[in-house]
Amino acid sequence: MPLWLWCLLFVLESLYCCWIIGYGGARWIEGWKSFFMIEWFALDWTAEQIRLYVLIIWCFSAIWFVVGIIKPELRL
């Protein structure tokens, strides 16, 4: 995967995560919408639980992004 696409995908994921964590996205997808936006196991989560989950996933994604920049063969 080219570097520009790797960076673009990370920026798009970061925008999605920022929306959920800081701009009310967690409240909007709370309930049945979380099945499609997060995963099936998030159906009965509150907005705070969704925000925490997305924050953790975002941290791991940032680590993977840096690893992908350093070692291009690990980009998926």
Side-chain angles (χ1 to χ4, degrees):
M1 177 182 306
L3 181 62
W4 68 268
L5 183 58
W6 184 252
C7 292
L8 178 67
L9 290 174
F10 183 71
V11 166
L12 291 174
E13 180 183 11
S14 294
L15 289 173
Y16 173 72
C17 291
C18 281
W19 173 68
I20 289 194
I21 293 170
Y23 295 103
R27 291 241 182 260
W28 187 79
I29 66 169
E30 198 173 18
W32 65 271
K33 291 180 249 177
S34 66
F35 178 83
F36 301 104
M37 302 291 284
I38 304 287
E39 287 289 334
W40 64 269
F41 51 79
L43 277 172
D44 58 349
W45 285 359
T46 64
E48 292 302 314
Q49 290 170 316
I50 291 172
R51 289 176 66 208
L52 177 63
Y53 174 78
V54 170
L55 178 65
I56 292 168
I57 294 299
W58 194 18
C59 289
F60 283 114
S61 295
I63 293 168
W64 190 252
F65 174 70
V66 172
V67 168
I69 287 178
I70 295 169
K71 293 198 61 100
E73 61 271 7
L74 294 177
R75 296 179 201 156
L76 300 176

